[in-house]
Amino acid sequence: MPEEDWAEHSDLQTDDGSQALSEAQGLIQEGRTEEARMILEEVLSEDPGNVRALMSYALTFQRDGDT
């Protein structure tokens, strides 16, 4: 993934990560799982117990067929 793409999303983190999670879920729906994983990893680094982020992160691997 080009570095410029990640830079677009680096400001998406909010206190609870909800904006970042919404963006990641949109990327997952578009099949852009690597980009979604990068956002979700950022959310999870701030809040490792975030269940929505964990489930979305797992979904990226399922979508890629890495179950």
Side-chain angles (χ1 to χ4, degrees):
M1 180 178 117
E3 191 128 346
E4 304 82 50
D5 291 342
W6 170 242
E8 293 175 16
H9 303 294
S10 62
D11 62 341
L12 293 173
Q13 185 66 31
T14 58
D15 289 343
D16 65 355
S18 60
Q19 185 177 357
L21 283 170
S22 294
E23 178 68 16
Q25 289 168 347
L27 290 169
I28 293 168
Q29 290 176 352
E30 293 173 10
R32 298 165 58 185
T33 54
E34 286 184 40
E35 292 171 82
R37 268 195 289 274
M38 291 182 75
I39 292 171
L40 293 166
E41 287 169 359
E42 179 71 23
V43 172
L44 290 168
S45 73
E46 297 289 325
D47 182 9
N50 187 317
V51 175
R52 285 183 59 208
L54 288 167
M55 295 299 291
S56 295
Y57 192 73
L59 182 60
T60 66
F61 292 102
Q62 184 180 22
R63 293 282 168 104
D64 287 345
D66 297 340
T67 55

